Amino acid sequence: MTAATTVVGSWRTASARAWSGAVPPTVLLSFAVLLVVLLWSLLPGVFATQDPVNGVPADKLLGPSAAHWFGTDHLGRDLFARVVHGTASSVTSALVAVTIGVVVGGAIGLVAGSAGGWTDVVLARVVDVLLAIPSFLLAVVIVSSLGFETVNAAIATGVSAVAVFARVMRAEVIKTRRAVFVEASVLQGGSRAHVLLRHVLPNASRSLLALAVLQFGLSILVIAGLAFLGYGDPPPASDWGLLVSSGKDYPTAPWLVYAPALVVVATVLSVNRISRWLRRTA
Amino acid sequence: MNASYLRFAGRRLLQAVVVVLLAYVFTFVVISVLPGDPVTNTLRNPENGFTEEEIARIVAYYGLDQPVVVQLWQSLSHFVVGDLGVSLRSNLPVTRLVAEVVPSTLALAASALAVALVLAFAVAYGTQNLPRRYGQGVLRALPSLFLSVPAFVVGLLLIQVFAFQLGLFRVIEPDGAWATFFAAVALGIPVSAQVAEVLITGLDHESRQEYAAVARSRGLGQARLFAKHLLKPSSLPVVTVVALTVGELLGGALIIETIFGRTGVGSLVQRSVSTQDLPVLQAVVSLAAVVFVVVNLLADLVYPLLDPRVRLDRAPRKAAGQPGPEQPTPEQPILERQVSVP
Amino acid sequence: MTVTAAAPAGVAAAPASSALLRVEGLTVAYGRTHVVSDVSFTLGRGESLALIGESGSGKSTIARSLLRLLPDAGAAHGRVEFEGRDVLSLPERQFRPLRGRSLGFVPQDPGSSLNAVRTIGAQAQEAAALTGERDAGTRRRLILDTFAQVGLDDPGRVYDSYPHQLSGGMLQRVLIGLAVLPRPALLVADEPTSALDVTIQKRILDLLSELRADLGISLLLITHDLAIAAERADSLVVLRDGVVQEAGPTAQVFAAPRSAYARELQADVPALNPDRYRALRETRAGSAGDPGSAEATEAAPRIELRGVTKAFTVEGRRLTALDDVSFAVRHGTTHALVGESGSGKTTAVRLLLGLDQADDGEILVAGEPVHGRSAAGLRAVRRHLQLVYQNPFTSLDPTWRVERLVREPLDRFGIGDRAERTVRVREALAAVGLAEELLARRPGALSGGQRQRVAIARALVLRPDVLVLDEPTSALDVTVQADLVEVLVRLQAELGLTYVFVSHDLALVRQLADTVTVLHRGRVVEGGEVEKIFATPAAPYTRRLLDSIPHPSGG
């Protein structure tokens, strides 16, 4: 009877929503770009058959061509192969950085937001400190103290991202804790831990996911910046930032700068697009 | 200036002092994690040419023969009175080294901020007032693009085009007007993206608000609606965002100064990193934190004066309102305020 | 169909040529979705017409098309003739002078309809500028006069205030003032009172009627409330899903609705049908049907508040939310807590459920005090005392599915095994009239009415004795509200439930409650049997509340 009519009504709204929530083409394209990047990092040998480390000196500084898509560098190494083989290191280190940020920052935010009181005040000051030191400077100091390696650059980037995650997580937890459905769960006999783990955390983690994706893109940029300044693994490693850095010494061969730069831009742009889409749909 | 504002300002000031001191301690701890004993290693490096007496004086000055906690205490007590110590590399007071490079970096950061604001407001203006078919979509995509390009790539591109191709400036004269301008552009572009993102989000949000439709119903056209109604509420968050990007400007200067060959805080940091000149590193990082905290303190103190909605007393909204137990606290320092990360 | 028949209705006395506003075949679409389809009506000079419909009926979209304030994605087709000119085909440059000067607009939510960071005076100057007056001082006097005319006590203070410093009722007066200041020929009022308290609602509607009479302004009233429309408008247009269901003079549409939807709407409006659930309520097991019976009065009350007082301290100031409040609810009956915002009714609910502690007084549930219980003790009380929140859009966790939402209380209280819980979840859903297909849905894929049913099912699944219903239908459309109230009354008859029903809507209370407590600023103004209080209200405040129930002349 009445129930039947409302069910029918909602079918229409539900399907309408599903249609309007269709994945936009630019987001699909972004996923495609990231898929390529993922495959490059997993199976570099399949995509770039030329040797990324030992070049052919006779073929040095060749412009982009069918044989060398991104041209060759001063030692005659195929730049495309170097970019593809540098993907794994560039992507993994960004992942490490984001993981550190999410886990440490998320934990700080969760504790601060759910405990409140003095714990919150103390943690808020800790986060303020991390926020107050310019993150790139902080990363430089940390990496210089741990040693110039890509892994350390990743850790440094992760630490400098902790503050952002902690802030967002804390705000989300506080917002969700005030939600009516959380009080409803308490009224239905939900314990503190139950409410925190089953209601607050899942709701708060939606924004955290979008932020994590965004931060992944930023981390690629920060780690590339550290590599550019020479604070990552030294050559013959071929991290994207390092490739740009060594390419800048050859102004007559601009592809050495712009080919790896384009790869960075395409990757980060795709990541940003997906993060924006996640925020819209969350 | 009422009592609640003064209470708020006092508490905020106290917080800022605490944060600066903690930042100093944190930096000290990070730096002293360094394996080995780089300080004495550097001191005894014959290239630096310290005499044994000088070394003894420096070791005593820094208390390097003391436990770490005592070293920290001494270092902190010097910092509080404005003594930043002596460079291990050049044996000059760190204050002097820093003072030499600060003006150049400040000039660069300020111009970058100016470039960022002009660019951001121009883009945001375009997204609201240009006809839809003339490139609104392109303008809306710009902030995302600006955020995806590494600053060093922008810098290299600008040099390639304007120095090498067009010959507007020469790389060997890094302090020339054009060179400074393009360095500021490279540094300002990522910042402009964040400001523009906040502005566009704000403008879109405000123009969807009921009051915008009601204002239109009073006969206002798009231009007056934008200028009189939408711009102010959308620009208020920019105060917060700009304050938060100060750190980015200082951090980004590291890379941009390298690329453009400028002498500044960035190049000082790089030199100190490669020579393990710890007192200089400690000083630069702590000063950067001071700058960040002071700027954000100012933004926090100014904000309530700009936005009539912010009430610092926790009185209920209306006298008749339900004094529910879950009144949100309107007082929220900027560092804890949720700013949408673009 | 009915449209052409209705066209002359609004202007029955006047020749068609003097029509101020003539809408013909108006269609509005967002992309391929039509929200308004082929709507026509006519409004004469000095007349009033009401567009009636529930959410999604397209009534506000029509209002906005007339003012050309649709969002960019919306496209309006058809003909909208205002003072003989086709509004839709005019270039923006020629249309804009009409806005404000000839076409005034009163929005729905006064709280969001003024720019929060500008003073009211600055915004009023925009309206005053439309009169063509050049002298700023004269404009200011004009504004202050208008503020006084719309019943604002201290025009000078209002002029210098920011919007957040005024109450909703005052803001709506400001907005009406700004709309009538340039003396437009037509005022479009989009649900002008739905965001306001009932007594203020009536005053705002009275103000609109007065201004219409004094200034000769025509009124296009958009509302979801058939009773208000019938009370205030000369003619009615009933809309559903963007299509006109019925149109004509108020007396005709209201007294003898021909379309099925108009009849349903009329039957669902509480103010028009005080006895709608009487038969169903009388099937209850002899409890409330005969309030005078000895058994009923002697049995201990299921819920009792005795002299309950609660104050909050806000920045050093003490605000008394509840002051010496007492009432009792008999087993198997419905007790209504009635009041406007700030009356303390929400505080009373929170105290009853042990979410806050009273400063003074006693709260007894089945003779046992709620006050001073441990967490475990409260848990035991709450098992038999469940709450249904006002807004089903916030009271259900958006990440959970219906099945888990309804099962949560069983899981938390560890009742039955897995199979038994599944059975009880399905029973609860069936009891509130929800189909089993919905079990796997998340709240986002449910309508407001469905969500509220899920919330009720969740409250019922523990088989409690008492349901506290905190304005459970105020966020819903009237037809949805009527369905839901029917479910509640039926459940009470079947399960012998006791309800504490919080509401601001006296007409609704009259339909379903046995006893009532009227709260005003934290104090009990009046309490007792619903029928007695409605027949002979003793307190002036109760009388004011009762007066605010619309009394359509056509009914």
Side-chain angles (χ1 to χ4, degrees):
Chain A
M1 27 137 258
T2 52
T5 58
T6 32
V7 172
V8 171
S10 87
W11 262 116
R12 208 172 29 202
T13 56
S15 60
R17 203 165 293 138
W19 277 115
S20 66
V23 185
T26 50
V27 173
L28 287 178
L29 184 67
S30 303
F31 274 113
V33 168
L34 291 194
L35 184 69
V36 169
V37 169
L38 184 72
L39 289 174
W40 282 4
S41 55
L42 291 178
L43 309 162
V46 174
F47 293 90
T49 45
Q50 308 187 39
D51 190 331
V53 179
N54 300 306
V56 182
D59 292 347
K60 67 174 186 176
L61 297 177
L62 293 178
S65 65
H68 303 285
W69 291 359
F70 288 178
T72 62
D73 68 2
H74 60 291
L75 296 175
R77 295 177 294 198
D78 179 58
L79 187 61
F80 180 69
R82 287 185 61 70
V83 168
V84 171
H85 282 271
T87 306
S89 167
S90 303
V91 170
T92 319
S93 47
L95 276 181
V96 169
V98 171
T99 310
I100 292 174
V102 168
V103 172
V104 180
I108 292 178
L110 186 64
V111 171
S114 54
W118 273 106
T119 320
D120 187 21
V121 172
V122 170
L123 288 176
R125 292 297 85 76
V126 169
V127 170
D128 282 356
V129 168
L130 287 174
L131 205 63
I133 302 173
S135 57
F136 194 73
L137 197 54
L138 179 60
V140 167
V141 170
I142 293 176
V143 84
S144 79
S145 136
L146 292 177
F148 299 151
E149 284 173 46
T150 301
V151 179
N152 294 337
I155 293 172
T157 309
V159 172
S160 66
V162 162
V164 182
F165 282 101
R167 253 162 38 109
V168 169
M169 187 65 169
R170 177 178 174 277
E172 284 296 312
V173 166
I174 288 177
K175 194 180 89 191
T176 317
R177 241 161 49 103
R178 291 200 187 120
V180 177
F181 63 81
V182 164
E183 189 182 277
S185 177
V186 172
L187 283 179
Q188 270 121 33
S191 63
R192 217 181 138 83
H194 166 79
V195 167
L196 203 59
L197 291 178
R198 302 288 172 204
H199 288 290
V200 174
L201 200 55
N203 278 286
S205 46
R206 294 182 150 203
S207 330
L208 212 63
L209 176 69
L211 180 66
V213 173
L214 184 79
Q215 199 67 37
F216 176 68
L218 284 179
S219 298
I220 290 180
L221 292 183
V222 171
I223 291 168
L226 290 172
F228 179 83
L229 293 179
Y231 298 156
D233 289 345
S238 57
D239 287 87
W240 294 342
L242 186 62
L243 289 176
V244 175
S245 174
S246 27
K248 76 171 192 298
D249 300 331
Y250 302 90
T252 50
W255 59 87
L256 290 179
V257 167
Y258 297 115
L262 266 182
V263 173
V264 173
V265 172
T267 309
V268 178
L269 202 56
S270 305
V271 169
N272 287 350
R273 181 71 190 90
I274 290 170
S275 169
R276 182 186 296 263
W277 174 69
L278 282 175
R279 258 179 299 158
R280 289 267 160 79
T281 52
Chain B
M1 208 89 349
N2 54 19
S4 61
Y5 181 81
L6 290 179
R7 254 200 319 277
F8 158 75
R11 197 162 41 234
R12 231 359 233 99
L13 188 64
L14 193 69
Q15 268 181 23
V17 172
V18 169
V19 168
V20 165
L21 294 180
L22 284 176
Y24 190 87
V25 174
F26 178 79
T27 316
F28 188 92
V29 170
V30 168
I31 286 178
S32 61
V33 163
L34 266 173
D37 187 3
V39 180
T40 37
N41 286 351
T42 315
L43 289 177
R44 298 198 186 283
N45 187 336
E47 278 178 32
N48 289 333
F50 285 110
T51 64
E52 278 302 318
E53 282 135 53
E54 279 171 333
I55 292 174
R57 193 168 53 80
I58 292 172
V59 165
Y61 180 86
Y62 283 105
L64 294 174
D65 41 354
Q66 309 276 334
V68 174
V69 179
V70 178
Q71 288 183 35
L72 169 62
W73 176 249
Q74 291 189 343
S75 167
L76 189 60
S77 50
H78 284 129
F79 169 70
V80 170
V81 295
D83 177 359
L84 298 175
V86 174
S87 162
L88 298 180
R89 199 176 73 113
S90 60
N91 201 14
L92 291 169
V94 174
T95 338
R96 214 173 99 194
L97 287 178
V98 172
E100 272 170 16
V101 292
V102 158
S104 156
T105 301
L106 268 191
L108 176 63
S111 345
L113 186 58
V115 167
L117 287 177
V118 169
L119 201 55
F121 274 91
V123 168
Y125 178 85
T127 60
Q128 302 298 314
N129 295 296
L130 285 187
R132 209 153 256 281
R133 54 185 180 282
Y134 298 128
Q136 250 202 36
V138 175
L139 283 180
R140 280 171 185 277
L142 269 189
S144 201
L145 181 68
F146 285 176
L147 268 188
S148 308
V149 186
F152 52 85
V153 171
V154 179
L156 291 176
L157 187 67
L158 291 174
I159 290 176
Q160 178 90 29
V161 173
F162 293 99
F164 296 160
Q165 310 276 332
L166 302 178
L168 262 184
F169 64 96
R170 290 196 294 168
V171 190
I172 48 165
E173 287 171 37
D175 291 323
W178 279 114
T180 305
F181 172 72
F182 285 109
V185 169
L187 185 56
I189 273 184
V191 174
S192 83
Q194 296 183 37
V195 176
E197 187 95 15
V198 168
L199 267 179
I200 294 171
T201 310
L203 285 167
D204 285 349
H205 175 78
E206 297 297 333
S207 61
R208 276 195 310 270
Q209 294 305 296
E210 185 69 2
Y211 78 78
V214 175
R216 275 174 202 273
S217 82
R218 282 196 295 267
L220 263 67
Q222 176 63 31
R224 284 186 63 205
L225 185 74
F226 179 85
K228 292 208 143 186
H229 281 275
L230 306 180
L231 194 57
K232 184 175 175 193
S234 318
S235 308
L236 285 173
V238 170
V239 175
T240 311
V241 171
V242 164
L244 284 172
T245 54
V246 164
E248 215 155 311
L249 288 170
L250 294 177
L254 234 71
I255 287 179
I256 297 302
E257 285 178 355
T258 308
I259 292 174
F260 284 83
R262 294 172 65 91
T263 317
V265 173
S267 54
L268 180 65
V269 167
Q270 282 221 54
R271 217 166 48 232
S272 317
V273 165
S274 56
T275 57
Q276 298 290 331
D277 199 344
L278 302 190
V280 176
L281 267 188
Q282 170 84 47
V284 170
V285 174
S286 315
L287 287 182
V290 169
V291 170
F292 180 91
V293 168
V294 167
V295 169
N296 278 277
L297 175 67
L298 289 179
D300 257 4
L301 295 182
V302 164
Y303 197 95
L305 308 179
L306 300 179
D307 190 340
R309 289 167 297 187
V310 176
R311 291 156 306 113
L312 298 165
D313 49 334
R314 294 186 199 177
R317 229 172 98 89
K318 284 151 205 159
Q322 177 94 0
E326 293 173 291
Q327 287 280 345
T329 50
E331 174 187 330
Q332 219 181 359
I334 276 188
L335 290 183
E336 287 160 39
R337 203 178 289 145
Q338 183 56 41
V339 178
S340 71
V341 191
Chain C
M1 27 142 255
T2 46
V3 178
T4 36
V11 283
S17 60
S18 82
L20 178 69
L21 175 73
R22 184 198 302 279
V23 174
E24 272 170 45
L26 178 66
T27 297
V28 183
Y30 289 92
R32 268 175 290 170
T33 320
H34 282 236
V35 289
V36 173
S37 310
D38 195 21
V39 167
S40 306
F41 58 86
T42 308
L43 174 62
R45 241 172 236 287
E47 303 273 333
S48 62
L49 182 142
L51 297 179
I52 304 159
E54 298 182 282
S55 45
S57 65
K59 56 188 191 301
S60 294
T61 308
I62 295 175
R64 272 159 208 258
S65 329
L66 304 187
L67 293 152
R68 297 207 357 198
L69 289 175
L70 285 176
D72 292 338
H77 302 284
R79 202 174 158 76
V80 174
E81 215 173 84
F82 177 73
E83 292 180 325
R85 294 205 280 175
D86 184 8
V87 164
L88 293 185
S89 65
L90 279 181
E92 177 76 13
R93 191 184 297 269
Q94 288 177 38
F95 176 72
R96 209 195 306 146
L98 291 180
R99 279 202 201 116
R101 286 195 188 85
S102 306
L103 283 161
F105 179 56
V106 179
Q108 174 168 10
D109 177 10
S112 63
S113 297
L114 286 162
N115 192 334
V117 298
R118 300 182 70 207
T119 61
I120 287 178
Q123 301 179 63
Q125 284 289 351
E126 294 168 358
L130 295 177
T131 59
E133 176 57 55
R134 305 230 159 188
D135 179 49
T138 317
R139 283 204 305 260
R140 187 168 193 274
R141 258 197 313 285
L142 197 59
I143 293 166
L144 296 184
D145 288 349
T146 309
F147 282 173
Q149 190 183 13
V150 295
L152 287 163
D153 285 336
D154 189 350
R157 186 177 73 84
V158 170
Y159 187 92
D160 294 327
S161 295
Y162 284 99
H164 68 265
Q165 293 165 326
L166 303 182
S167 71
M170 289 168 85
L171 288 178
Q172 194 59 296
R173 283 174 196 272
V174 167
L175 285 159
I176 291 174
L178 297 195
V180 299
L181 195 150
R183 296 286 181 271
L186 172 66
L187 202 56
V188 178
D190 184 2
E191 301 252 20
T193 60
S194 58
L196 303 173
D197 271 333
V198 277
T199 51
I200 297 162
Q201 215 167 66
K202 178 174 158 51
R203 281 187 231 153
I204 294 290
L205 289 169
D206 288 345
L207 172 65
L208 282 174
S209 304
E210 256 172 58
L211 289 172
R212 189 161 80 83
D214 296 350
L215 310 176
I217 298 174
S218 304
L219 178 67
L220 181 65
L221 179 68
I222 283 100
T223 179
H224 66 278
D225 192 327
L226 183 61
I228 285 180
E231 187 186 42
R232 305 281 170 175
D234 304 326
S235 49
L236 307 180
V237 174
V238 181
L239 290 156
R240 183 190 202 180
D241 295 337
V243 179
V244 174
Q245 302 293 313
E246 185 158 357
T250 301
Q252 189 183 314
V253 175
F254 195 70
R258 281 161 298 152
S259 66
Y261 181 67
R263 276 200 296 275
E264 187 189 345
L265 210 54
Q266 196 182 39
D268 289 342
V269 175
L272 307 176
N273 309 278
D275 296 326
R276 168 157 175 166
Y277 307 105
R278 177 171 294 275
L280 191 51
R281 286 174 61 205
E282 277 168 359
T283 62
R284 291 180 302 180
S287 50
D290 183 8
S293 87
E295 268 177 308
T297 39
E298 272 167 33
R302 197 69 194 76
I303 300 248
E304 190 169 7
L305 270 71
R306 287 189 202 146
V308 171
T309 298
K310 173 77 185 174
F312 295 101
T313 306
V314 186
E315 274 286 296
R317 281 197 297 155
R318 271 182 89 66
L319 289 157
T320 309
L322 282 183
D323 187 4
D324 192 21
V325 168
S326 306
F327 63 84
V329 188
R330 290 192 311 275
H331 178 78
T333 66
T334 301
H335 182 81
L337 277 183
V338 176
E340 299 179 283
S341 50
S343 64
K345 52 191 198 300
T346 306
T347 307
V349 168
R350 297 184 64 84
L351 294 179
L352 185 54
L353 286 149
L355 286 168
D356 282 317
Q357 294 298 319
D359 298 335
D360 200 9
E362 272 187 302
I363 300 172
L364 304 168
V365 173
E368 303 274 326
V370 176
H371 202 84
R373 272 174 185 261
S374 63
L378 271 177
R379 226 171 151 235
V381 172
R382 287 177 188 154
R383 197 183 150 174
H384 302 288
L385 183 70
Q386 285 285 312
L387 173 65
V388 176
Y389 286 94
Q390 173 172 15
N391 188 344
F393 291 84
T394 58
S395 66
L396 303 174
D397 189 330
T399 61
W400 286 33
R401 295 177 191 281
V402 169
E403 148 124 65
R404 192 169 165 215
L405 282 167
V406 178
R407 206 184 58 220
E408 186 181 14
L410 298 176
D411 292 342
R412 292 303 109 219
F413 281 98
I415 291 162
D417 54 18
R418 229 188 143 66
E420 196 183 332
R421 287 179 198 172
T422 310
V423 171
R424 283 179 72 162
V425 166
R426 273 151 212 260
E427 276 174 12
L429 278 184
V432 297
L434 279 182
E436 277 193 16
E437 300 99 86
L438 301 184
L439 280 172
R441 295 257 187 100
R442 292 211 169 85
L446 300 177
S447 69
Q450 286 174 329
R451 289 183 205 215
Q452 198 57 297
R453 282 171 200 244
V454 170
I456 294 173
R458 174 174 66 178
L460 283 176
V461 77
L462 285 171
R463 297 183 185 148
D465 311 319
V466 182
L467 279 195
V468 179
L469 302 149
D470 185 4
E471 305 232 23
T473 59
S474 64
L476 306 173
D477 277 329
V478 247
T479 52
V480 181
Q481 164 174 291
D483 287 348
L484 208 62
V485 171
E486 189 162 329
V487 167
L488 288 171
V489 175
R490 182 168 50 76
L491 288 170
Q492 185 171 48
E494 286 169 13
L495 307 172
L497 292 167
T498 306
Y499 290 153
V500 176
F501 190 92
V502 179
S503 182
H504 66 275
D505 185 349
L506 271 183
L508 183 61
V509 164
R510 180 169 56 179
Q511 280 186 318
L512 61 77
D514 301 293
T515 49
V516 61
T517 298
V518 181
L519 288 173
H520 185 50
R521 297 196 179 153
R523 286 172 171 277
V524 174
V525 172
E526 194 161 4
E529 303 293 335
V530 165
E531 284 172 23
K532 217 174 286 170
I533 286 181
F534 273 75
T536 52
Y541 179 70
T542 317
R543 274 201 293 279
R544 225 161 65 221
L545 276 183
L546 286 173
D547 285 344
S548 64
I549 301 180
H551 300 285
S553 47

